[in-house]
Amino acid sequence: MSFDLDPLELLAAVLMAATLAVPLAFPLAAGIVTAPARAWNRTGLAMGVSLLLGVLLAVASAFVGLGPLQLLAGIGMLLGLTCAIAAAVMIVVLEDGTVLSTVLGILACVLVGLGEPIQTVPTIFGLSSSLLVVIAAVVVEAVVLVALVGFLVAAARRVRALQIGVAAGGAVAALLLGVAALLHVIGLATDASPPHLPLPATLIAALAAFVIGSVVAGVLGTVTARRQRVTAGEA
């Protein structure tokens, strides 16, 4: 480890961090949207505070070593992504959130927010041995996550179909990221080298699920509205 700052390494690390943030934004957005609309700000605040604490823990771990913290972060990520899948299902099933869906959403945001920055540290160390580069990448990932989640939540607030799209993208991304987290935890617990899921595949799958879910929900909503108008006219 060093404090050298290579511009190319910094650029590569920042791009990697931003790429890591994109698929993860969908489960976090699903965790927020699953709550009643009036509680979205509180759930988003819980996510932001957890991310801040996660970044501070990641920075500290970069200086003193990851140790068992990496395993705990992996387990937390796995639990958080499981909650995100359940929250995404509730978005589809329920028109508005409930206490249970709110709790699941908050748990997803808190556990993922705490665990993801710590999980990112070894990935960035694979690109650079500079502590400054690692810290910058972790901070950039958190900022990109907040921006993307805010965009998705704002879009979902306007259109019900986009809520379904966020749920679909969140469920697919959480499932794939959860498998990756499980493999990572197994590797840490057994000192083995399990296979890794390619990040581009996860990113493409999440975006495709978001688009398909939004389009299908929009079409079904339009058809349902037309049928209701026809029925009302006949009555």
Side-chain angles (χ1 to χ4, degrees):
M1 292 186 293
S2 68
F3 288 94
D4 296 334
L5 189 59
D6 186 327
L8 292 179
E9 288 184 354
L10 177 61
L11 178 60
V14 167
L15 291 176
M16 173 60 74
T19 304
L20 290 171
V22 177
L24 195 60
F26 288 97
L28 289 174
I32 295 174
V33 173
T34 194
R38 61 183 180 277
W40 288 6
N41 289 337
R42 293 194 292 271
T43 309
L45 178 62
M47 182 201 73
V49 172
S50 301
L51 269 176
L52 177 59
L53 292 176
V55 168
L56 294 176
L57 287 173
V59 172
S61 68
F63 279 96
V64 302
L66 294 172
L69 189 61
Q70 185 72 11
L71 179 60
L72 292 175
I75 295 173
M77 283 287 294
L78 186 57
L79 294 175
L81 292 169
T82 301
C83 291
I85 294 174
V89 172
M90 287 192 169
I91 293 174
V92 178
V93 174
L94 303 173
E95 286 290 335
D96 197 11
T98 62
V99 174
L100 177 59
S101 66
T102 302
V103 171
L104 285 173
I106 291 175
L107 284 175
C109 290
V110 170
L111 291 173
V112 173
L114 286 172
E116 174 58 19
I118 300 170
Q119 294 281 85
T120 302
V121 171
T123 302
I124 305 303
F125 267 131
L127 300 175
S128 173
S129 60
S130 172
L131 286 171
L132 294 178
V133 171
V134 172
I135 293 171
V138 170
V139 172
V140 166
E141 183 190 21
V143 172
V144 173
L145 263 178
V146 171
L148 289 176
V149 171
F151 172 78
L152 290 172
V153 171
R157 187 183 294 274
R158 297 177 179 275
V159 184
R160 169 64 178 167
L162 290 179
Q163 293 183 18
I164 305 299
V166 168
V172 170
L175 178 61
L176 295 177
L177 292 171
V179 172
L182 178 60
L183 294 174
H184 183 63
V185 169
I186 292 174
L188 290 174
T190 62
D191 291 327
S193 298
H196 295 280
L197 293 179
L199 179 62
T202 304
L203 176 57
I204 293 171
L207 291 173
F210 170 71
V211 173
I212 293 172
S214 299
V215 171
V216 171
V219 171
L220 291 177
T222 301
V223 171
T224 301
R226 287 180 179 176
R227 287 179 178 176
Q228 290 175 347
R229 286 197 299 267
V230 170
T231 302
E234 291 176 350

